[in-house]
Amino acid sequence: MSQPIRKIGLLTSGGDAPGMNAVIRAVVMTAAVQGIEVIGFSHGFNGIFSNEFQQLHRAQVLHIIQQGGTILKSARCKQLEQPNGPAQAAELLHKNGIEALIVIGGDGSFRGCQAIAPFYQGQIVGIPGTIDNDVDGTDFTIGFATALDTALDAIDKIRDTADAFERIFLIEVMGRHTGYLALAAGIASGAEQIICPEYGDVDVVDLQRDIQQLQQQFGRSSYIIVIAETMYPAGATALAAELTKATSIECRACVLGHLQRGGSPVGSDRILATKLGAYAVEQLLLGNAHLMMAGEQGGQAVLFPLSLTGDKKKQTDRYLLDWQERMLQDSSPRKV
Ligand SMILES: Nc1ncnc2c1ncn2[C@@H]1O[C@H](COP(=O)(O)OP(=O)(O)OP(=O)(O)O)[C@@H](O)[C@H]1O
Ligand SMILES: O=P(O)(O)OC[C@H]1O[C@](O)(CO)[C@@H](O)[C@@H]1O
């Protein structure tokens, strides 16, 4: 590790997230001023196995900060999860002269990094890029802020039509097994109700009571429920059908899906991406960053062990969870 680094490998892995390109740009630019070559692997870890890579030049990345997706393409990679996958990946990295590897992705991708590490002689650094915000050790992941704004844009529009028809709408958002996106989208859109893992299971009878109670108090109007993707196994459309039956009010579902992963990153994602991309390279050159993630806590760039990024200790905002629950005006609030 005391050897100067001349060649860094870079890849984007797992679900793509707006701001990944901004990270790529920051990594390439920061490395370039130090005279370090950056090799971009395509399609996540798959690019290591298939020898799909290219040298990334500064001129190529100068104007990609505003672009959604990832110029390197992203993917999940089954081969890395095979018993000999990590050793094989390390061997190929050595063969291609990659002296350090930077992986932009979520906690799954960071498990992939840890699997490679015992066989690899260089440093491996993670940068959190996922719309889910489900990575421990960083207040926000790159892409979350954009996905939230995208969801809000859609929910605001649905509110107009829901108002016009005085309908109940269930809007399903992504987030995997966490409620970061659902809570944030629900709060910021003024949703009447949020269904996410932090509140526990969905109960159609409870939902019906909450809707009827609110409508008794304030009259019939639109009612927006933001629901996290894993909360109703049969899906939001099935839940909408059940609710229509239970309440006799027309209820519709809208699954936002992959819409939330696209689009130009918002300003805060571009800034976070630039900061963490640059910080990862600088810490790597100082020899501090092996098996660490470059994250941000309280506005400061920090290094956090990759081994702890999937611990699921990060909390959704308890204050907002409780406030939302109180606003349901339930005489017997469900436990949060
Ligand atoms: N235990 C593991 N061993 C080896 N590789 C792994 C392991 N876990 C995950 N990976 C690799 O990381 C890839 C991405 O993981 P995953 O699909 O969980 O996405 P992620 O990085 O968490 O991002 P997101 O949640 O935003 O989609 C996997 O396809 C696999 O190649
Ligand atoms: O694009 P895929 O492979 O269907 O994965 C979808 C998952 O990826 C994410 O968009 C990002 O992790 C999750 O919110 C969602 O559950």
Side-chain angles (χ1 to χ4, degrees), residues 163-203:
D163 264 344
F165 269 74
E166 295 175 337
R167 272 175 173 156
I168 303 165
F169 259 90
L170 276 150
I171 302 169
E172 186 182 296
V173 297
M174 280 187 166
R176 253 189 219 257
H177 306 290
T178 65
Y180 297 102
L181 202 46
L183 178 68
I187 292 289
S189 64
E192 277 69 26
Q193 197 146 359
I194 300 167
I195 299 174
C196 61
E198 292 76 0
Y199 284 124
D201 291 341
V202 183
D203 184 321

Side-chain angles (χ1 to χ4, degrees), residues 13-15 45 75-78 80-81 86 105-112 115 129-132 134 176:
S13 168
F45 291 104
R76 309 190 199 278
C77 173
K78 290 215 159 52
L80 188 59
E81 297 186 66
D107 61 322
S109 301
F110 300 157
R111 276 191 291 281
T130 167
I131 65 164
D132 300 336
D134 59 347
R176 253 189 219 257

Side-chain angles (χ1 to χ4, degrees), residues 151-169 171 189-192 220-225 252 254:
L152 287 180
D153 187 48
I155 299 170
D156 290 350
K157 289 185 169 102
I158 289 169
R159 176 68 81 180
D160 291 342
T161 175
D163 264 344
F165 269 74
E166 295 175 337
R167 272 175 173 156
I168 303 165
F169 259 90
I171 302 169
S189 64
E192 277 69 26
R220 189 165 155 170
S221 77
S222 63
Y223 194 100
I224 300 261
I225 303 168
R252 294 285 188 270
C254 178

